[in-house]
Amino acid sequence: MIKQAYVQAGDKPEPALKEIKDRIATAVDATEGSTGLKRLACWLQMPVDSAFGKMMDSNCQARAKEVGALLSGKDGLFTPADLGSVLSAPAAWTGIDKALKAGSAVYVNGPADHVGGAQSKFTSGFHVIVFLAVGKDADGSVYYLGLDPDVSATAESRAAWKALVAGEPETKPEEFTPAKSLGVVKSMILGDGDTAFGPLLRKYYVDTTAKFPKIKRFV
């Protein structure tokens, strides 16, 4: 699994945190006129109940394409070659860096247990997330700022979801009002601070010298 960490206020990726935060807020607000469930399903991969026994869908591929397009600049969503089969991993990531710095979101497909979160309900096959920026920690470690819509992905994302839907019988997101759904999406992705983010947006420390593990295909 790719090492992951949460965003810190002092992080300085490219594009900058404020630009990424504004880009997400604008795109989320633009869905405000839709039904509550439609907005939630656009941005979040949700459980059917508060116990995380089952997820509502496994449409990570279509969701990443839609969200990635909404969060991209004039050049649109960047979809790299299969990161498990590229001839040169460093060259592939150089291209990804260039796309990110130019304002495109990047479609990142890989084995579910490699790109997903530590507590994700999705552990086999593939999973797709979206990268939005590239940065470097003070110690020189390179990271990618990634949005994983999977609410089940980490202990923090699960706890945040449960807190947001407290009092809702068996969660039932299809019954959320448009205003409620807007608040839930913003809290899960954007958080409450000016520079920090919610638990669905994390730093991914990718080994850019190596190909992704092969995705195991099931017939």
Side-chain angles (χ1 to χ4, degrees), residues 39-56:
R39 182 188 300 108
L40 286 164
C42 171
W43 291 97
L44 308 179
Q45 196 163 18
M46 303 171 288
V48 299
D49 59 53
S50 56
F52 287 88
K54 181 181 178 182
M55 302 298 280
M56 292 185 70

Side-chain angles (χ1 to χ4, degrees), residues 79-95:
T79 302
D82 179 0
L83 293 169
S85 302
V86 290
L87 293 177
S88 168
W93 286 99
T94 296

